[in-house]
Amino acid sequence: MRISLCQGLLTGAIILNLLILYYVSRAQQQMMEKRKELGRGTRRAALPASGLGGGLGVLVGAGGEPGAVGVEGHGRGPRVTVLLREFENFENYVGDVANSFLRQRPELPFLAVADTFPYPPLVLPDGARLLVLSPTPDQPPQVHRPEFHVQTEFVLLVPDGVELEQPRAIERLIRELEGEGGGPVRLVAAPVLARSAVQCLHLRVNLREWTATYSPAASGSSGSVCTALQGDAVVLIRTEDLFNLSVPLGRPLFSSLFVQTALRGWKVKLLEGPCFSANHRPLFSSAHNQWKADTRLKEATGKIMRSFGLKRLLLPDGKEQWYGCSKETPRCFGTVQDDTPDYLYLDRWTPPCCLRALRETTKYVINILETSGIYMEDVPNCDHLKNLDSGSLVDANGYVWERAVEGDFYRVQYSEANHLHVDLWPFYPRNGVMTKDTWTEHKQDVEFPEHFLQPLVPMSFAGITAYGPNNHRAFLELKFGEGVIENPQYPNPAKKRLDRSKL
């Protein structure tokens, strides 16, 4: 069979791409093997600049020249890379931090990491390097991946403005971490002397409920062991552990780091000493720069939490932070197919922001309807419903009242932007049965005995006291099936069944 020129070129291109993928994968594997050798005390060579595909403008030294992060000495090389991730372009002390560490420990690699090239450019001393994470189209992917630029066994994560005054403080942290062996403590932290002390917190992350809960942790005699930190601290972690995280250097660093380590069951040990000094506090010289930093922190926190699928944070002081939908935004999920929202396929439950919207709408509607009654003949008594045949109504609180297009019932949406809603189904009595003239395909759209409503009884519902059926268990079993309270199930088990063993 004759092969055309185009076929030959295509075959060659495929082979070339496979070779590139092989060598990139092989290089990454070799880097991981080199880190493991450090733990056994073996010697390694530093990654040369040529091995980074040039790296010009991506990994640069003080003079703007490409270079490698690893610093090779006689015998055994350094065990720790000092890494500074959190700083602002418009005002920072990255150069001072690098000078402080390299003056005391000139053999240690120092790496500043930024999402994009900083402007104004950083002024770094000899021995310090800058790594830019944003990829560029003319460079191979490993140029921008930090795991290719850290050649040591440990990484010391330091905040902006910190100073190293005790040269042997790093060895103390290493001894503490190695003393934990293979236990759950995978990070060791030392406080930074600042206006507010660093706090040890317990963090529980529930991805199914889209929620992270922070609570205070008790202190121990030899330091606190917890799952998260709040405040300024220097943190030591094994390089292999750091780069086994899905987002090893996300921002804000501590928020990103501890969500991921908590999900893995890892703990951090906060020591009482050694302490690192911080002469540059506050970090920002003006109220405007402080406002800019606070705004960027809020934006970065929202971005990383949304990427992790966390929509609600419960803070140690009892306050809440929300990163899901609101009255001003669309709801968190799209059109539901087969009675099964998309999040159920991810083994997650209804997002808490959506539940909040539904509860607020339900409480609002109940308060209005209870002044008008609940039978079909009472619709003309309700100002929000009586004129809906001619269109929808946006009331003074932003709720949207409308007649549903799917059938003879009403719908109240959370807002014009957010279409989370509650449906109102007007029934009328006929021979002791509550009925209506039109029906939908909903399984719960059925007649029911009027005695459930004679009388109505108060009950706790959606955070308020509302009037409902006098036998709510029998009413729910009529609508949803026997045993529905003790054995709940997803709306369409044929598509997605609730696994009760995971509850």
Side-chain angles (χ1 to χ4, degrees), residues 22 56 110 138 288 292 315 324-325 331-332 347 371 377-378:
Y22 169 77
L56 185 62
F110 186 98
D138 60 334
H288 177 68
K292 287 172 62 177
L315 304 181
C325 64
R331 67 184 186 185
C332 297
D347 286 328
T371 64
E377 58 265 27
D378 299 311

Side-chain angles (χ1 to χ4, degrees), residues 236-251:
L236 184 76
I237 184 173
R238 288 182 174 84
T239 303
E240 186 174 8
D241 284 346
L242 178 63
F243 293 121
N244 274 330
L245 301 177
S246 58
V247 187
L249 297 177
R251 291 192 69 185

Side-chain angles (χ1 to χ4, degrees), residues 361-371 461 464-467:
T361 305
T362 301
K363 289 187 288 186
Y364 184 76
V365 171
I366 287 175
N367 286 333
I368 291 175
L369 295 187
E370 284 189 345
T371 64
F461 182 73
I464 63 173
T465 299
Y467 284 89

Side-chain angles (χ1 to χ4, degrees), residues 212-421:
T213 303
Y214 296 85
S215 58
S219 299
S221 58
S222 59
S224 303
V225 174
C226 51
T227 48
L229 299 176
Q230 183 179 43
D232 280 345
V234 170
V235 175
L236 184 76
I237 184 173
R238 288 182 174 84
T239 303
E240 186 174 8
D241 284 346
L242 178 63
F243 293 121
N244 274 330
L245 301 177
S246 58
V247 187
L249 297 177
R251 291 192 69 185
L253 182 59
F254 277 9
S255 298
S256 171
L257 179 68
F258 292 121
V259 165
Q260 297 174 85
T261 56
L263 284 169
R264 289 160 173 79
W266 299 357
K267 297 183 182 298
V268 55
K269 185 175 184 180
L270 177 61
L271 306 178
E272 297 179 356
C275 295
F276 289 75
S277 58
N279 293 330
H280 299 296
R281 291 293 188 275
L283 277 175
F284 305 104
S285 58
S286 69
H288 177 68
N289 278 359
Q290 183 65 62
W291 171 83
K292 287 172 62 177
D294 292 342
T295 301
R296 287 169 57 86
L297 175 64
K298 183 178 180 180
E299 292 173 350
T301 302
K303 183 178 180 180
I304 194 68
M305 292 303 166
R306 291 185 186 98
S307 72
F308 288 157
L310 293 174
K311 299 180 182 292
R312 182 190 186 201
L313 302 187
L314 299 176
L315 304 181
D317 59 3
K319 295 181 180 179
E320 297 179 326
Q321 291 180 352
W322 293 86
Y323 301 104
C325 64
S326 68
K327 249 187 176 341
E328 292 73 34
T329 66
R331 67 184 186 185
C332 297
F333 55 96
T335 302
V336 176
Q337 304 288 337
D338 299 319
D339 294 328
T340 306
D342 55 10
Y343 52 80
L344 292 184
Y345 292 108
L346 301 175
D347 286 328
R348 294 193 173 203
W349 292 341
T350 305
C353 48
C354 297
L355 290 175
R356 178 181 62 170
L358 288 171
R359 291 190 181 104
E360 289 180 5
T361 305
T362 301
K363 289 187 288 186
Y364 184 76
V365 171
I366 287 175
N367 286 333
I368 291 175
L369 295 187
E370 284 189 345
T371 64
S372 305
I374 64 173
Y375 282 34
M376 180 177 289
E377 58 265 27
D378 299 311
V379 168
N381 299 327
C382 179
D383 293 337
H384 292 76
L385 297 177
K386 64 183 181 182
N387 295 320
L388 289 185
D389 288 340
S390 58
S392 62
L393 166 70
V394 181
D395 69 17
N397 294 300
Y399 293 91
V400 181
W401 298 70
E402 61 185 5
R403 181 179 287 275
V405 297
E406 301 95 323
D408 189 17
F409 62 97
Y410 300 96
R411 176 164 290 162
V412 185
Q413 293 180 173
Y414 189 44
S415 69
E416 291 184 278
N418 192 323
H419 293 177
L420 286 163
H421 60 269

Side-chain angles (χ1 to χ4, degrees), residues 135-148:
T136 55
D138 60 334
Q139 297 285 356
Q142 64 267 29
V143 172
H144 308 274
R145 291 167 57 177
E147 63 266 31
F148 283 92

Side-chain angles (χ1 to χ4, degrees), residues 27 58 61 69 71 92 117 133 143 146 205 245 316 375 393 476 496:
V58 178
V69 175
V71 178
N92 62 73
F117 200 92
L133 298 178
V143 172
V205 181
L245 301 177
Y375 282 34
L393 166 70
L476 289 174
K496 178 65 178 178

